């Protein structure tokens, strides 16, 4: 009776539809099959991690993309970047073909569970109540998480990742990592787990947006990689990307060894990462770690491509609004 009442409520909300009577001969009253109604509601998703634009999509309940939009960020930062985010979200909501369950947002920076961006140097956001700001501006439920955390959840939920041990490195305007261990997302007491972009790699190196010098982020963030290889021959570019991959591998190795991880995923521009960069990252991690039970670390590209953060943002809404992720 309880199950029937719940299903009846979902049908009334058009989230579930009846698929007919179960075939075959069975004792008692024939069972009615039900399934998720893909077009019963939609989810708006934002990916704020890109190195030159903000990306958004609207997906149905099966994850099929029905609307996509992009907004150029340019040099907009601070309040201007917030305005561009609201602009993009509003366009998605206006173009959604039906009722929207909510808005999911994957953003760079340190993000609290209540949707406050505590620090996002690349966007010049500090203590920004992004979730509440978007709720007030748009009038829909909003769920916000760090972009790398969103992407690692998507890799586990929608792709071939394993939640028992997975590290995903999101490389865009900034650099961060999402870590799943024993089925749990590691956040840390202050939400800073995975903030590898601000580990010092080269003392007295290039300045970083965090105010220090020599961090990993100025070495491997997508805009910096593009600048490093601009105008170079193919061989010279491969050498520069390999150097950057080794620097990333040096930072990842102790994390991988300490947590016993074997699956490392790179998410970001494939033209920069899928080649000498990935190969150098993997070889460096292998050289600096000790395999256990003949299980070596593998470094691969995300199977979700550029859409990992968007898929993760959709999962945030599904979990927050329906408990389905």
């Amino acid at each position: 009776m309880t199950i029937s009442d719940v299903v009846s409520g979902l049908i009334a909300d058009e989230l579930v539809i009846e698929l007919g009577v179960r075939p075959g001969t069975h004792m008692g009253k024939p069972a009615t099959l039900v399934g998720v109604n893909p077009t019963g509601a939609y989810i708006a998703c934002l990916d704020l991690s890109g190195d030159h634009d903000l990306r958004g999509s609207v997906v149905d309940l099966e994850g099929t993309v029905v609307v996509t939009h992009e907004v150029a960020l340019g040099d907009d930062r601070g309040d201007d970047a917030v305005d561009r985010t609201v602009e993009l979200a509003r366009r998605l909501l206006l173009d959604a073909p039906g009722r929207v369950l909510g808005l999911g947002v994957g953003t760079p920076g340190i993000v609290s569970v209540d949707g406050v961006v505590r620090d996002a140097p690349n966007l010049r956001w500090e203590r920004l109540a992004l979730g509440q700001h978007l709720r007030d501006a748009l009038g829909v439920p909003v769920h916000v998480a760090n972009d790398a955390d969103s992407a690692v959840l998507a890799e586990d939920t929608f792709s071939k990742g394993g939640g028992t041990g997975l590290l995903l490195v999101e490389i865009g305007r900034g650099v961060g990592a999402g870590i799943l261990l024993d089925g749990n997302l590691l956040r840390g007491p202050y939400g800073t787990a995975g903030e590898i972009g601000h580990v010092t790699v080269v003392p007295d190196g290039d300045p970083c947006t965090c105010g220090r010098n020599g961090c990993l982020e100025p070495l491997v963030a997508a805009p910096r990689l593009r600048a490093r290889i601009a105008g170079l021959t193919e061989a010279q570019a491969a050498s520069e990307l390999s150097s950057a991959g080794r620097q990333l591998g040096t930072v990842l190795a102790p994390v991988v060894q300490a947590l016993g991880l074997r699956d490392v995923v790179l998410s970001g521009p494939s033209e920069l990462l899928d080649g000498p960069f990935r190969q150098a990252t993997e070889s460096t991690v292998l050289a600096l770690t000790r395999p256990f039970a003949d299980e070596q670390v593998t470094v691969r590209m995300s199977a979700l491509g550029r859409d990992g953060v968007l898929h993760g943002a959709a999962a945030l809404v599904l979990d927050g609004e329906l408990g389905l992720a």
Side-chain angles (χ1 to χ4, degrees):
M1 183 61 70
T2 300
I3 293 174
S4 295
D5 289 343
V6 170
V7 172
S8 295
L10 293 173
I11 291 174
D13 290 338
E14 298 184 346
L15 298 174
V16 167
I17 54 176
E18 294 184 346
L19 302 177
V21 178
R22 184 174 62 185
T25 302
H26 302 276
M27 296 291 293
K29 181 182 177 181
T32 300
L33 300 178
V34 297
V36 172
N37 179 13
T39 59
Y42 296 87
I43 302 167
C45 320
L46 296 182
D47 174 6
L48 310 184
S49 68
D51 56 325
H52 59 273
D53 57 20
L54 308 178
R55 302 175 60 235
S57 66
V58 176
V59 302
D60 65 19
L61 294 183
E62 287 185 339
T64 301
V65 176
V66 296
V67 175
T68 59
H69 285 306
E70 294 185 2
V71 170
L73 185 64
D75 295 326
D76 290 342
R77 298 294 185 271
D79 290 342
D80 291 336
V82 175
D83 291 341
R84 297 291 80 72
T85 301
V86 173
E87 172 191 340
L88 176 58
R90 185 170 283 120
R91 289 174 59 187
L92 293 171
L93 295 177
L94 288 173
D95 290 347
R99 176 170 61 108
V100 175
L101 276 178
L103 171 68
V105 183
T107 176
I110 300 169
V111 184
S112 65
V113 293
D114 57 354
V116 175
V117 182
R118 295 176 56 202
D119 187 28
N122 287 294
L123 292 170
R124 296 179 193 161
W125 288 348
E126 187 174 351
R127 298 183 182 88
L128 171 66
L130 182 61
Q132 188 60 54
H133 185 89
L134 290 170
R135 280 190 290 273
D136 292 343
L138 303 169
V140 297
V142 178
H143 301 270
V144 183
N146 170 268
D147 55 345
D149 287 347
S150 298
V152 77
L153 289 172
E155 191 73 24
D156 180 47
T157 303
F158 299 111
S159 186
K160 57 184 180 180
T164 54
L166 171 65
L167 185 153
L168 183 141
V169 182
E170 179 71 26
I171 298 177
R173 190 180 302 109
V175 179
I179 304 170
L180 282 174
L181 186 64
D182 297 336
N184 298 305
L185 177 66
L186 298 188
R187 293 180 52 86
Y190 303 105
T192 58
E195 285 295 312
I196 62 172
H198 301 291
V199 173
T200 299
V201 178
V202 181
D204 301 322
D206 291 341
C208 180
T209 54
C210 73
R212 300 194 306 169
N213 286 37
C215 294
L216 176 68
E217 189 168 283
L219 298 172
V220 303
R224 301 297 185 106
L225 289 179
R226 295 187 200 281
R228 286 173 70 170
I229 65 175
L232 299 181
T233 65
E234 184 176 344
Q236 290 171 330
S239 177
E240 284 293 326
L241 292 173
S242 293
S243 175
R246 287 192 292 272
Q247 290 162 332
L248 175 61
T250 301
V251 171
L252 293 182
V255 179
V256 165
Q257 188 81 72
L259 298 179
L261 302 172
R262 293 295 171 265
D263 189 13
V264 176
V265 178
L266 303 182
S267 177
S270 59
E271 71 276 12
L272 294 174
L273 307 182
D274 194 9
F277 182 94
R278 183 197 62 77
Q279 294 161 6
T281 300
E282 181 176 73
S283 62
T284 301
V285 172
L286 289 174
L288 298 177
T289 58
R290 176 180 179 271
F292 293 99
D294 297 324
E295 291 289 334
Q296 291 191 324
V297 180
T298 60
V299 179
R300 60 180 175 86
M301 294 298 297
S302 169
L304 298 174
R306 289 188 70 199
D307 293 334
V309 176
L310 289 173
H311 278 82
L316 291 173
V317 177
L318 285 174
D319 183 49
E321 298 301 312
L322 300 179
L324 292 179

